[in-house]
Amino acid sequence: MAAALTATAATTSSAAPAHAAACTGYVGLTFDDGPSGTTARLLDALRQNGLRATMFNQGQYAAANPSLVRAQVAAGMWVANHSYTHPHLTRLSQAQIDSEISRTQQAIKNAGGGTPKLFRPPYGETNATVKAIAARHGLTEIIWHVDSQDWNGASTDAIVRSTARLTDGQVILMHDGPANTLAAIPRIAQGLASRGLCAGMISPQSGRAVAPA
């Protein structure tokens, strides 16, 4: 049904993106560590290029910038949990882990971002305890299949090349902040479209990218 609706939209609106009717697969674009001073520009770039993404927000920043959380939602993004202060969760007590996760859930909800269903542990560091506590809060843990290395100073060209490795259902790690990531957005959109891939949502059931609900 989703494919039929997409095809109908493409034929009835000349303003529809050229790749709207050609989704042969979906990938999950994710941006960690927002919202920040660059979030508005990132959202503009994503919207202008017909992309949606999952924003793994830090609770402390969501609490400090509720208007940016609302802007993420208004731009069609999905808001998710990335802990409150970005610690090494596997080094913390169960109570501390719970606090990091639960406070972020509340901060995002209070900011108008809804109740997150996805959780990414900082640095991708996890264990059975972290997973169990996240699950108690109704969260599915999401790591990534491809690391753009934008956190490590990757060039715009390198970030674009990293997205070329994505296949159907896979998730890529990027960040809200690096200038090279922002500059890569138009080329990321072009590259995905050329391969029939569209930006999808990450399923809480499977942890993989699927067609947006």
Side-chain angles (χ1 to χ4, degrees), residues 13-109:
S13 173
S14 59
H19 59 278
C23 298
T24 59
Y26 293 88
V27 297
L29 306 179
T30 69
F31 295 88
D32 287 11
D33 296 344
S36 73
T38 58
T39 297
R41 280 178 288 164
L42 174 60
L43 295 176
D44 284 344
L46 290 169
R47 274 191 302 197
Q48 288 167 9
N49 288 280
L51 298 176
R52 298 177 72 183
T54 301
M55 319 302 283
F56 282 97
N57 287 342
Q58 288 188 39
Q60 60 182 339
Y61 299 146
N65 302 284
S67 64
L68 290 177
V69 176
R70 292 192 294 274
Q72 291 172 335
V73 174
M77 309 303 153
W78 299 281
V79 181
N81 186 320
H82 192 43
S83 82
Y84 202 84
T85 64
H86 207 275
H88 294 276
L89 291 177
T90 55
R91 303 177 189 175
L92 303 184
S93 69
Q94 291 190 34
Q96 289 171 319
I97 296 169
D98 189 275
S99 176
E100 283 285 331
I101 293 174
S102 62
R103 284 193 297 158
T104 303
Q105 288 292 91
Q106 194 61 51
I108 290 173
K109 183 178 180 180

Side-chain angles (χ1 to χ4, degrees), residues 30-33 58 82 86 88 120-125 143-156 158-159 162 165 172-182:
T30 69
F31 295 88
D32 287 11
D33 296 344
Q58 288 188 39
H82 192 43
H86 207 275
H88 294 276
R120 172 170 287 161
Y123 313 104
E125 296 173 351
I143 307 297
W144 54 82
H145 300 94
V146 176
D147 181 353
S148 71
Q149 290 283 315
D150 64 348
W151 56 273
N152 197 29
S155 67
T156 296
I159 294 167
S162 72
R165 302 201 303 271
I172 185 170
L173 170 69
M174 293 181 284
H175 290 78
D176 179 328
N180 288 343
T181 304
L182 184 64

